[in-house]
Amino acid sequence: MKFLLVEDDKLFAETLIQVLARHRYLVDLATDGEMGMGMAEAFAYDGILLDFKLPKANGIEICQYLRTAGNKTPIILMTGQGVSSDKVAALDAGADDYLVKPFEFEELLARIRALLRRTKGLASPVLKWGELCLNPSNAAVSVRDIPVALTPKEYALLELFLRNPGRIFSLDSLLDKAWSFEDSPSVGSVRTHIKGLRQKLKAVKLPEMIETMYGLGYRLKAACNARSPEKNMASRQAGVPAAHVLANKREQDRANLGNPLKSHSMLPKNLATPLVSTPPLITAFSTDSPSPKTIPRLLILEDSENSGWALSVADVATNHGLAVEIVHATQQSPADIFSESNLRPDIILLSLNAAGNSCGNCSPKGVNNGWSLLAQLQSEQVKNTQGQNLPSPVPVLPVPVLVVTPNPSFETRVKVARLGAAGLLTQPAIPTEVVSTVIQILQKGLPPRAKLLVVDNDPQMLTVLSDLLQPWGLRIQRLKEPERFWETLEQFLPDLIILDTEMTPLSGLELCQVLRNSPEWSDLPVLFLSAHTDEETIQKAFWVGADDYVRKPVVAPELVARVLSWLERSRTRQFMADVDNLTGVANRRKSTQDLMRLLGLAQRQKQPLCLGLLDLDNFKQINDDYGHAVGDRVLRRLGEQLRTTFRGEDIVARWGGEEFVVGLYGIDSHEGRQRMDQFSQHWQQESFTVKANTFHSTFSAGIATYPHDATDLRGLYRAADTVLCQRKTARRDRVQSIFPP
C-alpha cells in the first residue's frame, strides 16, 4: 500500500516513514501544503496522512480542495491540538479520521488498517485467499500456518492483489502502487518480483493465484476457482492463445465469464491506465478501479462473411478500452443475447448481412434476417426491462444498435431509423471509423457527471430544481444571493447555469451579460427560467446570451430533457475543441494546457519533464506516391500507437501536419531517449499496403528536458525542434537529445 505523507516536521516525518516501512507501507513525502495538493492530484495513493498546520496551505484547506476536486483518497488528519472544534472542522472538510499528536504509532497503524478495510469493503482484518493468510498488523504471510518469507516488494504486490480481487493491474499501474515516487525501476522489475512471488507460493503447494492477462497485466484469481497444482497442469498444458485466435477458446470464455452464449471475449488492453492526455472519448472508459462489470461492452453480431472484419474491429475496440463479445448471429436468437442481465451489452454492432441478407430472406437455419433481427433486438430489450424495480426518474433505455450495411440508400436509412438504430455506417467500414462511432454513441449514454449552478432568489425553487436534477447524477450548487455569482462561478466551475430572470439586487439578464463579456465563459450554456411569457422578455434573454428559455411553472420532463441536451452538446463541443479528429490524440491547445500543468508540477516538486518532438520522415513523398488518403491512414495509425504505447499520465498530441509531441513527467533525457527509441523500433514494424505495394514509415525525434535545457514550455519546444532539425539534416530515423549520454 502506498501513502502520501504531508508533514513539514522533517524529524517526525522521517521517524513515521521508518515505522510505516517496517509494516510494508510505501510513503511519498511532501513538506508543504502546496506540494501535497500537487502530488495528491498527480498520483494515486491508498491513503493520505496529513498534518494540520502546514506552510502554504493547511490540512483543512487541502482536504477541502481534494474533496471539491472529486478526490476520494482516504485522509487521516494529524494535529497537535485536541480541541473538539478542530476535529469537527477536519471531518466536515472531508477527512476520514483524526489523530492528536503525540500519538502511539500502533494506534496510527490500527487506524490505517481499519481505514483500508472500510475503503475496500473488507470485514476481516486478515486478508485471505484459499489457504493463504496475510495479516497486515504484523506483515506476516502464511499458507496452512506455514510462514512464507517474502521480500518487501513481493509482500506489497501480494497485499495489493488481495485488497483488489478481480482488478487487472497493468505493469505501469503496479509500478505506481508498489514503488515509491523516488524509485525509477523498469517494468522488468515488476515481472521479476511477480515471478519470485509465484515461486515462493508454489513452494508451499498453493494453487496458482496470480493470473497473467496477456496484453493487460495481472490479476488475482477467484479463490473459489482455485484448484490443486495437478489439476492446473492440464489447463497450463493447453496454453493461453493470443487474441487473433480467440475463436478457438470460446468454451474457456464461457466457463470464465458464465456466458451461455457461444461467443468469444476480448478485454481492453488499457485497463487501470487513466489517460491524462487522451481525449474524453477514451478517458470516459478508463477507470482507476476497473471491473469487467463497469467496462463498456461491445457485442458484435457476426456471420461467416464478416468474421475477419469483426476481429479487426474487436482488436481496435480493445485498444480503446472496450470489452468485446463476438456472437455468431446465425446461431443465436435475440432472447439469448439478453438472457444474462449482468452480461447485457452497452452497444451492439450489427451487419445487415448477418443472419441473412437485407432482402427479407431467412438463413438456412431459419433464423431471422438482419432486418427482423434488428426489430426483435429492440422489442426483446423492452420486454426484458419491464417489471424491474429501477430507480426513478432514470429511464431504462434500449441497448443502442449500430448498423453496418452495404446498401446505404435513403430508403434503407429511413427503415433503419424507424427500427430504432443508433447509427448507420457503410460496409466495408474501416475498423477505426466503426470504433470511433461506437464510442460517440456510448458517450451519449453516459451519466452527465456535470456541475450545475442554479441562481434564484426563491429558496423553495432552488430546492425543487435540486431535487429534480440531482437524481440524474448532476452536482447542483444552489445560490440565492446573485451578488455572489462571480465568486461562486470561479470556485465551482459549472458546466451549465440556470438563471431566474427577476432577482435582486442583480437580475438574471444582468448576470448573463456579465458572463458573456468574459471570453473565458463565452461558451458556457445558460438556461433561463422565468414566469414571463411576453415576447420582449424572451428576446432580451437571448440578446444577452441565453442558450435556452423555459417558462415557469416548470414541467419536469421538459426541463430535464433540455438540461441533458445542452450538457451533451457542451460535452461534444468540448471534445471537438480538445481532440485532433484524424488521430484521436489531443490537439495543440489542449496539450499545451496539460503540458503547462505538468511543467508547474515539475517546478514545485523539483522533478524533470521530458518533451519529445516527433516528425514523420518523407511524409510528403508518401502523399505524393500513394495519395493523401493513405497519408491520413499513416497519421491515424501513428496516433493510435502513441496512445496505446505511452503511459496514461503521459501527454500525447498532434501539433500540426506530421508533427507530434510527447510529454513525459518525471523522466530525464536519458530515459526519455530510451523510451522514444523503443517506440521508434516498434513503429518501424508497422507496414502499410496499397495495391500490392508495401511500405514502412519512420520518424525522427528531438528531445529536451526541464530544467536542464529550458525552464518554460516555449524554450523546451525550441530546444527539441533545434535537435530535430539537426537529425533531419544529418540522418533521418533517429532520436536525439541535446546532450546525448
Side-chain angles (χ1 to χ4, degrees):
M1 298 287 99
K2 189 173 181 179
F3 283 80
L4 172 64
L5 172 62
V6 189
E7 173 63 69
D8 61 331
D9 186 335
K10 293 185 178 180
L11 181 60
F12 176 75
E14 290 175 0
T15 304
L16 186 53
I17 289 173
Q18 292 175 5
V19 171
L20 293 171
R22 286 199 297 269
H23 287 77
R24 302 293 194 266
Y25 294 118
L26 292 169
V27 182
D28 286 344
L29 176 64
T31 55
D32 61 61
E34 184 178 302
M35 182 185 298
M37 286 189 289
M39 292 180 70
E41 280 187 303
F43 306 102
Y45 293 99
D46 296 290
I48 299 175
L49 305 177
L50 183 60
D51 190 24
F52 194 102
K53 289 187 177 181
L54 291 163
K56 299 187 179 179
N58 63 42
I60 296 293
E61 293 171 335
I62 296 174
C63 278
Q64 292 173 335
Y65 175 83
L66 294 177
R67 297 312 188 216
T68 302
N71 191 315
K72 298 180 181 179
T73 306
I75 297 175
I76 297 178
L77 202 65
M78 306 176 296
T79 181
Q81 303 178 18
V83 184
S84 60
S85 59
D86 288 342
K87 297 180 181 179
V88 172
L91 296 173
D92 286 344
D96 298 275
D97 207 344
Y98 192 99
L99 270 175
V100 179
K101 297 178 180 178
F103 51 77
E104 296 292 335
F105 288 129
E106 286 301 323
E107 180 183 359
L108 172 63
L109 292 168
R111 290 178 181 268
I112 287 175
R113 292 193 294 270
L115 196 60
L116 290 174
R117 288 200 303 273
R118 291 199 301 270
T119 304
K120 302 297 182 181
L122 302 173
S124 173
V126 178
L127 304 176
K128 295 184 178 181
W129 186 92
E131 297 176 301
L132 178 141
C133 294
L134 184 150
N135 190 342
S137 63
N138 58 6
V141 177
S142 63
V143 175
R144 295 180 295 274
D145 295 328
I146 302 173
V148 181
L150 301 179
T151 67
K153 291 298 179 217
E154 291 168 350
Y155 177 92
L157 290 169
L158 179 60
E159 183 181 9
L160 183 63
F161 286 123
L162 291 172
R163 290 191 183 276
N164 299 272
R167 175 175 174 179
I168 301 175
F169 288 94
S170 67
L171 292 171
D172 283 337
S173 180
L174 290 174
L175 278 173
D176 290 339
K177 291 288 188 180
W179 274 261
S180 65
F181 177 69
E182 291 81 7
D183 294 336
S184 56
S186 66
V187 293
S189 298
V190 178
R191 295 191 180 96
T192 300
H193 285 89
I194 291 285
K195 181 179 179 181
L197 177 59
R198 282 172 164 168
Q199 290 175 342
K200 291 181 180 179
L201 297 178
K202 183 180 179 181
V204 292
K205 298 183 179 180
L206 189 74
E208 188 172 311
M209 62 182 295
I210 300 174
E211 182 179 12
T212 300
M213 304 298 293
Y214 288 87
L216 304 176
Y218 302 91
R219 74 175 177 187
L220 183 71
K221 285 185 178 179
C224 59
N225 294 332
R227 298 173 293 177
S228 65
E230 292 79 9
K231 292 182 179 179
N232 276 334
M233 182 63 68
S235 61
R236 283 201 300 270
Q237 288 173 349
V240 181
H244 65 278
V245 292
L246 279 171
N248 297 326
K249 70 178 192 73
R250 293 179 178 173
E251 293 299 325
Q252 176 186 335
D253 287 336
R254 194 160 66 250
N256 290 340
L257 299 177
N259 183 5
L261 301 182
K262 188 174 182 181
S263 65
H264 62 268
S265 171
M266 296 179 69
L267 287 172
K269 297 178 180 176
N270 58 343
L271 296 180
T273 310
L275 304 181
V276 174
S277 63
T278 331
L281 280 180
I282 309 304
T283 57
F285 309 131
S286 299
T287 166
D288 191 47
S289 299
S291 164
K293 294 184 179 179
T294 59
I295 300 166
R297 298 173 59 87
L298 167 64
L299 176 65
I300 303 177
L301 301 182
E302 68 164 358
D303 60 11
S304 58
E305 296 181 4
N306 67 2
S307 58
W309 174 80
L311 283 172
S312 298
V313 172
D315 187 53
V316 175
T318 56
N319 284 332
H320 286 73
L322 281 73
V324 182
E325 295 286 336
I326 301 179
V327 174
H328 283 292
T330 55
Q331 300 173 9
Q332 301 297 331
S333 67
D336 292 330
I337 296 173
F338 300 102
S339 60
E340 293 289 333
S341 59
N342 65 323
L343 294 178
R344 188 174 187 262
D346 297 288
I347 187 169
I348 298 171
L349 179 62
L350 169 66
S351 170
L352 286 182
N353 283 332
N357 57 44
S358 59
C359 302
N361 299 326
C362 292
S363 67
K365 295 188 178 182
V367 181
N368 295 307
N369 62 59
W371 291 107
S372 298
L373 184 57
L374 176 59
Q376 290 190 33
L377 281 172
Q378 302 296 341
S379 63
E380 186 70 28
Q381 294 178 68
V382 174
K383 182 174 68 177
N384 276 280
T385 57
Q386 292 177 351
Q388 296 183 11
N389 295 323
L390 295 166
S392 180
V394 180
V396 178
L397 299 176
V399 174
V401 180
L402 174 61
V403 171
V404 182
T405 175
N407 178 27
S409 64
F410 179 67
E411 180 183 0
T412 299
R413 294 179 184 277
V414 172
K415 191 173 182 179
V416 167
R418 286 176 175 172
L419 289 173
L424 184 145
L425 293 174
T426 303
Q427 188 73 282
I430 300 173
T432 52
E433 178 189 2
V434 175
V435 174
S436 176
T437 306
V438 164
I439 293 174
Q440 290 178 25
I441 294 172
L442 286 171
Q443 280 282 7
K444 294 180 181 179
L446 287 175
R449 294 184 182 179
K451 297 187 293 184
L452 269 65
L453 174 60
V454 184
V455 189
D456 199 309
N457 279 147
D458 185 357
Q460 186 176 0
M461 178 57 68
L462 290 175
T463 302
V464 169
L465 294 175
S466 180
D467 292 343
L468 176 63
L469 295 171
Q470 277 183 338
W472 293 84
L474 304 173
R475 182 180 168 194
I476 311 297
Q477 176 68 50
R478 297 181 288 185
L479 181 64
K480 65 178 181 179
E481 302 92 359
E483 63 271 23
R484 294 182 52 233
F485 173 75
W486 196 258
E487 170 192 351
T488 307
L489 177 73
E490 292 185 325
Q491 291 179 354
F492 186 63
L493 303 176
D495 299 293
L496 183 144
I497 296 178
I498 298 178
L499 296 174
D500 187 19
T501 52
E502 289 189 345
M503 295 183 291
T504 56
L506 295 170
S507 71
L509 298 173
E510 292 173 316
L511 293 180
C512 186
Q513 195 159 14
V514 168
L515 188 76
R516 295 309 188 213
N517 286 341
S518 173
E520 182 183 1
W521 304 104
S522 59
D523 292 331
L524 185 65
V526 175
L527 189 152
F528 272 98
L529 292 181
S530 176
H532 292 280
T533 59
D534 59 286
E535 183 178 342
E536 182 180 358
T537 302
I538 296 174
Q539 286 183 348
K540 282 183 179 179
F542 284 102
W543 184 81
V544 297
D547 293 288
D548 209 344
Y549 191 96
V550 179
R551 296 170 177 82
K552 295 180 181 179
V554 174
V555 179
E558 177 189 0
L559 179 63
V560 170
R562 289 176 182 268
V563 167
L564 296 181
S565 175
W566 278 109
L567 287 174
E568 177 60 35
R569 295 182 197 179
S570 178
R571 181 164 57 182
T572 302
R573 184 168 60 239
Q574 185 65 40
F575 169 73
M576 298 299 293
D578 291 345
V579 177
D580 177 70
N581 290 332
L582 178 62
T583 62
V585 300
N587 59 23
R588 183 170 189 141
R589 185 194 63 82
K590 170 63 175 172
S591 61
T592 298
Q593 294 175 353
D594 291 337
L595 286 167
M596 290 296 293
R597 175 180 56 81
L598 286 187
L599 186 59
L601 191 62
Q603 292 169 345
R604 292 195 300 270
Q605 298 182 359
K606 295 180 172 52
Q607 289 293 312
L609 175 66
C610 180
L611 183 72
L613 191 60
L614 285 69
D615 191 271
L616 286 170
D617 297 326
N618 303 312
F619 186 70
K620 183 179 183 303
Q621 192 67 39
I622 294 175
N623 284 329
D624 292 344
D625 292 346
Y626 303 105
H628 286 82
V630 175
D632 287 348
R633 220 170 88 199
V634 174
L635 292 172
R636 188 183 298 112
R637 185 58 180 161
L638 179 59
E640 292 174 0
Q641 291 292 346
L642 285 168
R643 286 202 312 268
T644 57
T645 300
F646 285 91
R647 301 176 303 179
E649 61 266 30
D650 296 334
I651 306 297
V652 178
R654 182 188 180 197
W655 276 27
E658 62 269 29
E659 182 180 87
F660 291 78
V661 162
V662 177
L664 307 172
Y665 177 80
I667 300 296
D668 59 20
S669 175
H670 177 72
E671 187 177 352
R673 182 177 175 183
Q674 283 184 328
R675 293 185 59 187
M676 208 67 72
D677 276 326
Q678 291 171 356
F679 178 72
S680 176
Q681 294 169 12
H682 176 71
W683 174 247
Q684 290 176 38
Q685 298 174 8
E686 288 287 328
S687 61
F688 301 89
T689 302
V690 183
K691 295 181 180 180
N693 294 324
T694 300
F695 69 91
H696 296 265
S697 173
T698 63
F699 66 80
S700 298
I703 292 176
T705 56
Y706 165 87
H708 187 275
D709 303 318
T711 56
D712 59 19
L713 183 58
R714 179 176 295 182
L716 287 173
Y717 176 83
R718 288 177 176 174
D721 186 56
T722 299
V723 178
L724 174 62
C725 292
Q726 294 173 355
R727 291 294 90 207
K728 287 283 190 181
T729 302
R731 185 181 178 186
R732 299 174 189 271
D733 181 26
R734 287 291 182 272
V735 178
Q736 182 68 51
S737 53
I738 291 185
F739 297 102

